[in-house]
Amino acid sequence: MFNLPEKVTMIEVGPRDGLQNEKLFVPTEIKKQFIVGLRNAGLQEMELTSFVSPKWVPQMSDAAEIVVDCLDGKTRNIVLAPNRKGIDRLYSSDCQAVAVFVGVSNSFNIKNINKTTSDCLMELKPLIRELKEKNYFVRACISTAFYCPYEGKIVESDTIKLCREFVLIGVDELSVADTIGMAAPTEAFSLFTKLKAEFPETMLTAHFHDTRKLALANILASLQAGIVRFDTSAGGLGGCPFAPGAAGNAATEDVVYMFERMGIDTGVNLAKLMDAIEVVRPHLSRQIETGYYRLHAQTI
Ligand code: HMG
Ligand code: MG
């Protein structure tokens, strides 16, 4: 029934997507311990934080300190940056990997970064070229790839067109996102099958929010379309402050559990991942349920 790879790559977005929407400020020291814990659990690629406006996203106001203290030189540490100012902040750090982000939907883009999609592209194109000349790893996060909280269903070919723009400029990776968790597995399979066929040389990553509890089903559908890279967030934290209705990301522990039970190597140790979640749990405004992973950990 299933066409299974031997292993997948998990990109941990908990410290960034997971925490950016938290109401209470998570102390910087706790964020750093969370990052170390996640790395100890085996996560080799991680979004650490964002170089965005602290007025727009106060939770990310300690980004400079996080980056200084959390780069390890061994794993891929990614920082989000939306504009020239964000990229200049990147240049003044030692971080070697950046994620730019743009929505297929204009309305979402204006709410999220105060620019239309095409203005955003105009600003990002020369920045990406410059980043590639300087040998940075560039990831492009494509928001509202399936549905927009303001515009509804997104036409699949519009998403593919935007992805094409970024591939032509030379990004290393596309992280294609179901921002508000509305995609159906059939839609996930369809889009990722087409992206995989058109962009065989580009790293393709699926980023699902779990608003309607379809993230795992969508991940499985994307796996069937040939995708082997998945953005997930420890504890299922997450959501974009400018996308009403966006719940957390697919929980790293759920995805690790599913893949490992299917015989697919994730490189992640579930018990250590649970330890990392315990670091941040007391500082969260929302409840997360992970007890069952501890309960039967010995019998898995
Ligand atoms: P703006 O107000 O239009 O910016 O915001 P501006 O250029 O007019 O500047 C206004 C002020 O912001 C100035 O400071 C700038 O210096 C400062 P002031 O003079 O008022 O003191 N500023 C910055 N400060 C720090 N870092 C920067 C920066 N840029 C300007 N990079 C802006 C435009 C893009 C800055 C703002 O809209 C913003 O920061 N947006 C961030 C939104 C965000 O972080 N969203 C969440 C991440 S995306 C996401 O979660 C989706 C994803 O997970 C995929 C999915 O699920 O869909 C990736
Ligand atoms: Mg997201």
Side-chain angles (χ1 to χ4, degrees):
M1 175 185 174
F2 291 120
N3 168 25
L4 303 181
E6 274 177 25
K7 60 177 186 170
V8 292
T9 301
M10 311 280 297
I11 299 94
E12 175 61 39
V13 299
R16 193 281 302 171
D17 201 334
L19 296 184
Q20 72 184 8
N21 211 18
E22 270 301 304
K23 289 186 196 74
L24 303 173
F25 188 79
V26 177
T28 308
E29 208 46 50
I30 297 296
K31 288 177 184 155
K32 291 182 202 170
Q33 288 173 26
F34 184 39
I35 290 167
V36 170
L38 291 165
R39 208 175 269 149
N40 285 342
L43 289 148
Q44 299 282 306
E45 301 192 32
M46 205 180 314
E47 286 184 355
L48 295 186
T49 183
S50 307
F51 285 142
V52 295
S53 160
K55 286 184 193 142
W56 283 62
V57 189
Q59 189 66 253
M60 299 286 110
S61 60
D62 55 2
E65 183 179 338
I66 295 284
V67 172
V68 166
D69 288 347
C70 293
L71 294 179
D72 69 342
K74 294 186 209 129
T75 57
R76 179 173 292 142
N77 297 288
I78 306 158
V79 176
L80 265 67
N83 56 10
R84 175 87 251 175
K85 177 143 189 183
I87 301 295
D88 284 343
R89 292 176 69 194
L90 174 83
Y91 290 155
S92 65
S93 80
D94 290 329
C95 185
Q96 291 300 310
V98 64
V100 297
F101 50 101
V102 61
V104 185
S105 143
N106 251 326
S107 318
F108 171 74
N109 224 55
I110 290 165
K111 297 271 188 198
N112 196 35
I113 40 184
N114 213 13
K115 276 198 179 76
T116 63
T117 303
S118 59
D119 283 352
C120 203
L121 258 182
M122 273 203 333
E123 179 172 13
L124 288 177
K125 277 183 180 177
L127 290 175
I128 293 170
R129 283 198 198 97
E130 184 183 291
L131 283 159
K132 287 315 301 169
E133 274 161 24
K134 293 176 190 278
N135 268 328
Y136 280 82
F137 179 89
V138 181
R139 154 177 165 106
C141 300
I142 310 296
S143 286
T144 59
F146 299 91
Y147 288 87
C148 166
Y150 310 103
E151 294 183 14
K153 184 158 173 59
I154 297 295
V155 177
E156 191 184 60
S157 56
D158 288 349
T159 299
I160 296 171
K161 193 167 159 231
L162 186 60
C163 289
R164 193 177 297 128
E165 298 266 14
F166 281 103
V167 172
L168 289 175
I169 314 165
V171 299
D172 300 280
E173 178 187 17
L174 288 172
S175 167
V176 180
D178 182 20
T179 309
I180 51 172
M182 276 188 78
T186 41
E187 292 169 311
F189 183 81
S190 172
L191 178 61
F192 280 111
T193 299
K194 287 173 187 151
L195 292 175
K196 186 91 188 141
E198 183 168 342
F199 312 118
E201 306 301 330
T202 306
M203 293 164 98
L204 290 175
T205 301
H207 178 116
F208 288 106
H209 283 263
D210 204 18
T211 318
R212 291 165 182 79
K213 306 292 167 217
L214 284 177
L216 277 181
N218 281 325
I219 286 173
L220 198 53
S222 311
L223 187 85
Q224 291 303 284
I227 300 302
V228 290
R229 294 176 58 82
F230 299 95
D231 288 352
T232 62
S233 169
L237 300 172
C240 176
F242 310 101
N249 290 85
T252 308
E253 58 274 20
D254 291 342
V255 181
V256 167
Y257 182 82
M258 178 177 80
F259 282 144
E260 295 287 341
R261 291 299 313 277
M262 292 171 72
I264 300 172
D265 183 17
T266 62
V268 179
N269 179 302
L270 203 49
K272 289 186 181 167
L273 176 62
M274 291 299 111
D275 292 342
I277 293 172
E278 291 316 309
V279 170
V280 80
R281 186 195 295 276
H283 303 274
L284 301 173
S285 58
R286 51 176 284 197
Q287 301 278 329
I288 43 173
E289 180 51 68
T290 53
Y292 36 81
Y293 287 117
R294 285 203 185 280
L295 205 59
H296 299 293
Q298 302 314 318
T299 57
I300 295 166

